[in-house]
Structure formats: C-alpha cells, structure tokens
Amino acid sequence: MDSLSSLLDGFGTALSPVNLLWAAVGVLLGTAIGVLPGIGPAMAVALLLPVTYGLDPTAAFIMFAGIYYGGMFGGSTTSILLNTPGETAAVVAAMEGHPMARSGRGAQALAAAAIGHFAGGMIGTCLLVFLAPTVADLAVDIGAPDYFAIMVLAFIAVTSVLGSSRIRGFASLLIGLTIGLVGLDQMTGQQRLTFGSLQLADGIDVVIVAVGLFAIGEALWVALHLRRRPDEPIPVGRPWLGKAELRRTWKPWLRGPAIGFPFGAIPAGGAEIPTFLSYVTEKRLSKHRDEFGKGAIEGVAGPESAASASAAGTLVSMLTLGLPTTAVAAVMLAAFQQYGIQPGPLLFEREPDLVWGLIASLFIAMVMLLVLNLPLAPVWAKLLRIPRPYLYAGILFFAAVGAYAVGGEPLDLVILLIIGLLGLLMRRYGLPVLPAVIGVILGPGAEQQLRRALQISDGSMSGLVDTPFSVTVYVVIALILCWPLAKRLVPGRVR
Amino acid sequence: MTDSHADTNTDTANNTANKTDTGTGLRAFLRGRSELGVCALLLAIGVLVLTDALTMDTDFAQRGPVGPRTVPIVVGVALLVVAVLLAVDVLRGGKGEAEGGEDIDLAAPGDWRTVLLLAGVFLANAFLIDPLGFPISGALLFWGSAYALGSRAFHRDPLIAAVLSTVTFFVFDRLLAVPLPGGPLMEVL
C-alpha cells in the first residue's frame, strides 16, 4: 500500500527526538487547556501561533495536533467532574458522566471517556490514513472555480449548521469578511478600508483577529459575568474499569467513530452533532436504558469516542481540501497560511514529510494521551482549582505577548483590544465567533479564486460552475441550506 | 455601541421579567432591545465598506473582469441587508443567546467596571511596552488584570506577575527567537 509506506516514512519524521518533544509539549498543553475552564483548543492554538514563528512547520503542526486531541481528552475530565462543559464536544459527556461522578463512579466515567477518546482517535486516524490520499487524488486537478465553491461551502456551512440563528451567523461572517478586506488588494494593489494608514495597508494579521476574538473576547466576556464562587469539582480517584463495565463499553467505543468520523469530515460543524447522535444511538441500543440520565457508562463511552473520531475527520477535509469545519481547524489553516503552505489536494504531493509526519504524530499523541490521562486524571483535576483571576489575567497576558510578537507593533495591541471588545459584543448578543474567523481566514483567498475563475471565463458567470466538482459542491450547499429539518434532531443549545 | 452598553446591566433581569412597563415611550421600547445596537453597528460597517468601495480610484491596472471594488460592494450590501433582517428579527422578539461557559454566571448582572478596568490595563500595556520594556509592562498587565478580576493578594500577586513576565521574556526572546522589547531593565542586567 502506498499510503502505508508513506505513513512509515511519517513515523520516521515523527519519532525524531525533537518532534517527539513537540508532540509531548502539545499533548501536555492540550490536556491542561482542555481541563482548564475558559480556554478551548482553538484559543490555545491561536495563542501559540506566534510561538511557532521560529519553529519549522512540521514541529509546529505536530504540537497543534497534540493540542487538538489533548483538548478533547481534557475537556471530558472537566465536564465529568464539574458538569459545566467548556467545549461543545464535551456537552454530552456531562450528561451521563457527571451523574456517574456524583454517585461515586467518577473513576469509571473518566476511564470510559479516556479509552473512548483513544479508540475513537485511533480508528479515526486510521481512516484518515486511508481516505485522505484518495480524496486528495480525486480532487487533485481542481481549479479556481472549485476552490471558490469549497470556500463558499465553508462560509455557508459555518453559518447555517452551527449556532441557533442563521442571520446572526451571517452577520458574524460578514464582519469577518470585512476585516479580511482591510489592506492592499492582492491583485491590483488598490488600498481598501485603510483610511490612508500605512499600518492598515498591510492588512490586519489573522493572528490578531483569532487571538482577539477567541482569547481577549472570551476573557472579557467571562470577566463581565464571572461566577464569584466557582463550582467545586468532585474529588476522584485513579480511573479504572471493571469487567462488567468493559462489557458495556467496548461496543460503544467501536460504534462512536462510525458516527463521528463522517460528521467531522463533512462541513457539519465538528463534534457537536455526532456526539449527540452517538448518545441517542447508545441509549436506543443499551440494555440499561433506564440508567440513562442517571449515569449510564455507555453514554460516556460512545460520544467520547465519536468526538475524537470527528477530530480525525476534520483533518481529512482540512488537509485535502483546505476546508476548515471547526474552530481549531480554522486556526490551523491560518497557521498553514503563515508558513505559506496551501492545504489542499496538492499538499500530499508537495509536503509529504509534513503531512505524513503530522498524521504519524497523531498516533503517537494518542498513546501519550492515554498514558497521561488514565493514571494522572486526579492530578489534572487539580487544575480546576486555579484561582480565576490568575487564569484570565494569564490569558490576557499571553494574548498580548502573541499579538506583539506578530510585528513588534504596539498599535497591534490596540487593534487586538478593539477586536476583543467586538468578540465580547458578539458573545453578549449571540453572534457566533467562528464564522467571523473563517471569514477572515478564507475571505481574501475566496475573492482571489473568484476573480481568477471569472478572468478565465472572461466574466461569464458560467465559469464558476463549469466543472463537475464545483457543481457537486453547489449541490451540497443547496442541501445544507435545506438542513434545518435535520437540525431538529439536535436539542436546544446546551451551553 | 456605548448606548447599548448602558442598559445591559438591567436588561438581563428585564428579559426574564418579560418587560414590565417601567419606562415610557422610546426608552421603554429600547429597553431589552439593546441588540438593536448590533444592527446599528452592522449598518455603520456596511455604509463604511460601501463608501470606501465607491470612492475608490478607478484608474488601477485591472486584471480580469472583476476589479477590487466588486467584492467590497457585495459585502457592504450584504451587511446592510443583514442589519435590516436582524432588526426585523429583534423587533419580532428574536434574541441572540448570550454564550455560556464554565466560569460564566449569566444570572448575575454584567460587571462593566471590571471590563473597563481590564481594557484600561491592556491599553496601558500597549503604550508602556516600548518605553518600559516587556518584563515590566507585562508584569503590570498581569497584576493589573488579576487585580481587576478581584485578586487582592498584595504580596503574592506582584511576585507571580514579575516571575511570569520575566520567564516569558526569556523563553520567547532567547529560546524561541520571538523578539520582545527588553527595555531599560534588561540593559542593566
């Protein structure tokens, strides 16, 4: 098998001591961030973007992948012990995991979640190994109209599938597109929205926008409504599973990826829908249906496995098509752009070392995470006691470091604060943040592809739909626009 | 933006109380509808984008049939449309759900004093980072933010801030090759 030998090469890259070190840094940071309230993996990757300026891209992405997967592991610890999930992917884990912890079975819940993540991540990453090259091959000769179609798909998907209000999603997307317009037009050098300022002519760096919206916006929003007495986490011992529990969990662990992976790969918005679908499935199939809602272990095992598998699925569309379906994927895409690398079908040809090193490191990260999380869960849980002023002061501190590192410009810090206040406003009024970030990251590229496509067709709109691929994508977009019927399957926003 | 801020303190409680007739006329109408401020903001951005696009010089060397004005015009018009649609939604009783989270207590009234303090501390850092250097301005940023957020450990907080800031400076500036300004302190050392 071709992809197997590439994967072996990838292990050669990933197992080098330096890259192993970065993978370890990534999973440690990721788990800590997942456990810490208030910080999600997207914020973490955004904050770390400037750290990687001096790193080579392979090391940077190995670290980011560790953070992504680690955040999922850590996130379920929080929702099981605190019942207040920070990441959307962990909402379902709280539904069964927290009752288990309250009735003294927290250790089993943590074990079911950690092994679920491991199983889901492993199966998902295997699927990634075999599917990604195939998808890349199928899409290898896509041109400007196809790229434009994919980006429109990303815009529509992120505004229509996520969140509770489409109109607010679109408002957020348009804000992002506007920020993306600031600067010199890439094709003609025309100044747009710069108001004569030289610094704005360079455009607003994606890092500033991502850090402003994810980190500053979140910290200020929490500061506005800070819970004065944080919930006490339930103390818990070392995670373990008895034989009876293993008998109940192994099937959900294996079923999870079947639901999670495809949902991660299609632009349906990450882990929220698949974890819930997995929960419903496990409830229907369980012999202990009466236990659901009071702490059924299947309800932890299945959804957690689905969540990790969906992360792997997300990477398929991110790496092969350059299509980000979650916030983390969007920020990782921005990181690729920083390095001047365009994720897409050609990535596997042009940067085989990077891609396969990254994929191999996912397997390594998964093993590291299992080792870190099974015996050490009680240690991680101690992070939940961090004084909140330090936590959010720290977020502001590192956001300032990151934004300043972009260009050494104090003005960037002012822009960062303004975007942060915008993020606060968006959270206050229910405008989702992700569409804005996707708008900033993909907007300029989408405009360029649109203009290129119309240049080829000499201005005729048919130039946008003259390939089978782009037609297929537009059909998918039409389907998504009719999606609200299916969305009723998902319960009202739990957050 | 500022006028929408003014009434947010009261409107969280007001939403649940389902708008009892406390005020009169326009004020009563706007109460609980501060989201209209978002519409106004979108409208303003839309006008700004359109103005910028329409006043653009047209003598640029254009390649292809679509110039640098087309996309801004589309985005600007879309902003106006969304602003109107959102206003309609709000007037019909639609409401953006405020985002929840682990440390967020939405039942509590908004604490704008803390937010303003944090913004002030952050802005101070932006102006102090070049003259004082990162180790000092960063420490002030951390301590100031922790203070604004309610930490009152006057022995521990400055110490943590100083250590964090100095360690970060060395890790970024020396280890990761991400330059930060050392300021007078680092010149002495």
Side-chain angles (χ1 to χ4, degrees):
Chain A
M1 282 292 285
D2 194 31
S3 48
L4 274 185
S5 66
S6 312
L7 181 64
L8 281 180
D9 292 341
F11 271 106
T13 312
L15 284 171
S16 75
V18 182
N19 287 336
L20 272 179
L21 177 74
W22 286 115
V25 170
V27 295
L28 278 171
L29 275 174
T31 311
I33 280 155
V35 174
L36 279 176
I39 311 184
M43 188 208 284
V45 176
L47 283 175
L48 284 168
L49 279 179
V51 179
T52 57
Y53 284 173
L55 286 182
D56 93 294
T58 311
F61 285 106
I62 285 177
M63 181 170 76
F64 289 157
I67 293 174
Y68 192 10
Y69 279 38
M72 296 246 176
F73 272 77
S76 47
T77 307
T78 313
S79 42
I80 288 169
L81 299 182
L82 260 185
N83 196 28
T84 40
E87 288 95 65
T88 41
V91 167
V92 175
M95 287 159 59
E96 297 302 323
H98 190 65
M100 282 183 73
R102 255 192 325 226
S103 60
R105 289 190 297 141
Q108 287 91 327
L110 286 178
I115 300 173
H117 279 301
F118 180 76
M122 278 293 182
I123 296 171
T125 311
C126 286
L127 290 171
L128 167 72
V129 168
F130 293 106
L131 268 177
T134 317
V135 176
D137 278 346
L138 282 178
V140 80
D141 46 22
I142 67 176
D146 310 299
Y147 275 116
F148 180 69
I150 290 175
M151 287 166 179
V152 174
L153 173 63
F155 294 152
I156 299 295
V158 80
T159 47
S160 299
V161 184
L162 296 171
S164 49
S165 160
R166 277 188 186 194
I167 188 77
R168 289 172 179 82
F170 272 108
S172 168
L173 174 69
L174 289 169
I175 292 173
L177 290 175
T178 306
I179 297 175
L181 283 175
V182 176
L184 296 183
D185 172 37
Q186 293 179 17
M187 290 176 110
T188 62
Q190 170 70 38
Q191 296 206 6
R192 295 195 296 196
L193 294 171
T194 58
F195 312 106
S197 154
L198 269 180
Q199 259 149 342
L200 284 180
D202 286 341
I204 300 175
D205 198 286
V206 174
V207 174
I208 309 267
V209 181
V211 171
L213 287 177
F214 283 126
I216 305 276
E218 179 75 17
L220 292 179
W221 172 235
V222 173
L224 183 61
H225 287 287
L226 186 61
R227 200 186 290 277
R228 287 301 158 187
R229 242 176 305 145
D231 294 345
E232 276 294 298
I234 298 171
V236 73
R238 176 181 285 212
W240 59 277
L241 284 178
K243 237 187 203 146
E245 279 126 4
L246 270 178
R247 242 194 313 268
R248 286 177 61 179
T249 47
W250 72 271
K251 276 187 203 156
W253 283 334
L254 295 181
R255 273 195 293 261
I259 299 169
F261 186 81
F263 269 92
I266 62 169
E272 193 174 278
I273 295 171
T275 45
F276 185 75
L277 283 182
S278 163
Y279 179 78
V280 175
T281 311
E282 294 312 330
K283 189 173 177 179
R284 208 161 283 161
L285 293 174
S286 172
K287 284 181 200 136
H288 309 266
R289 208 175 298 177
D290 51 310
E291 280 183 30
F292 272 77
K294 293 172 229 150
I297 198 162
E298 295 93 333
V300 178
E304 294 310 275
S305 169
S308 272
S310 88
T314 302
L315 288 177
V316 173
S317 43
M318 210 270 284
L319 292 175
T320 60
L321 298 174
L323 176 69
T325 57
T326 63
V328 189
V331 186
M332 281 174 81
L333 192 67
F336 273 110
Q337 290 176 353
Q338 300 280 334
Y339 284 111
I341 301 169
Q342 174 64 50
L346 295 176
L347 187 68
F348 283 78
E349 277 175 32
R350 286 189 192 149
E351 306 276 350
D353 290 350
L354 169 64
V355 181
W356 289 106
L358 170 64
I359 293 175
S361 80
L362 294 176
F363 288 103
I364 297 167
M366 213 72 66
V367 176
M368 285 181 178
L369 280 166
L370 190 67
V371 174
L372 270 178
N373 278 272
L374 266 190
L376 295 177
V379 181
W380 289 113
K382 288 210 168 68
L383 279 179
L384 289 172
R385 295 175 190 278
I386 185 174
R388 297 308 188 257
Y390 292 161
L391 177 64
Y392 293 102
I395 292 174
L396 291 172
F397 175 86
F398 283 108
V401 176
Y404 191 84
V406 168
E409 287 288 345
L411 181 71
D412 280 345
L413 292 174
V414 180
I415 298 177
L416 179 72
L417 181 63
I418 294 170
I419 294 177
L421 289 169
L422 184 69
L424 165 71
L425 195 75
M426 292 171 73
R427 286 176 170 80
R428 165 68 180 80
Y429 291 108
L431 302 190
V433 173
L434 182 56
V437 174
I438 299 243
V440 178
I441 293 172
L442 290 185
E447 182 186 5
Q448 221 180 345
Q449 301 292 357
L450 169 72
R451 283 158 73 173
R452 209 172 276 163
L454 289 178
Q455 203 174 326
I456 297 165
S457 73
D458 210 20
S460 158
M461 291 303 272
S462 64
L464 295 179
V465 288
D466 61 357
T467 61
F469 187 91
S470 58
V471 173
T472 317
V473 175
Y474 286 116
V475 169
V476 173
I477 293 173
L479 285 177
I480 289 177
L481 287 172
C482 307
W483 182 255
L485 292 173
K487 226 181 89 177
R488 291 198 185 141
L489 285 170
V490 184
R493 312 272 297 170
V494 192
R495 276 158 151 257
Chain B
M1 256 165 76
T2 31
D3 49 0
S4 67
H5 287 179
D7 60 12
T8 36
N9 284 339
T10 45
D11 71 5
T12 335
N14 209 50
N15 297 340
T16 39
N18 212 3
K19 276 167 238 126
T20 40
D21 287 47
T22 41
T24 46
L26 192 65
R27 270 196 75 179
F29 175 77
L30 287 176
R31 187 162 284 230
R33 289 195 180 89
S34 59
E35 203 176 345
L36 288 174
V38 178
C39 307
L41 182 69
L42 291 171
L43 207 66
I45 300 176
V47 171
L48 191 72
V49 173
L50 278 178
T51 320
D52 187 75
L54 294 174
T55 55
M56 224 175 251
D57 293 335
T58 38
D59 55 345
F60 37 74
Q62 183 167 325
R63 285 191 294 157
V66 184
R69 294 166 77 164
T70 314
V71 172
I73 290 177
V74 171
V75 171
V77 170
L79 274 164
L80 300 185
V81 171
V82 165
V84 171
L85 288 178
L86 184 61
V88 170
D89 183 67
V90 172
L91 292 176
R92 276 187 182 164
K95 207 144 202 55
E97 286 170 65
E99 199 179 273
E102 287 125 328
D103 286 336
I104 291 172
D105 181 9
L106 285 175
D111 179 3
W112 287 102
R113 197 181 146 265
T114 302
V115 174
L116 286 178
L117 266 175
L118 287 176
V121 169
F122 199 84
L123 215 53
N125 172 59
F127 288 106
L128 294 176
I129 190 164
D130 275 348
L132 292 187
F134 178 78
I136 297 176
S137 77
L140 288 176
L141 169 65
F142 184 85
W143 186 23
S145 306
Y147 179 88
L149 287 160
S151 181
R152 290 291 181 274
F154 288 107
H155 300 293
R156 201 175 47 171
D157 292 357
L159 192 69
I160 293 178
V163 171
L164 177 72
S165 186
T166 316
V167 169
T168 308
F169 175 78
F170 278 105
V171 168
F172 274 74
D173 199 68
R174 307 286 148 86
L175 234 63
L176 291 167
V178 178
L180 292 172
L185 191 68
M186 288 300 135
E187 278 162 30
V188 174
L189 289 182

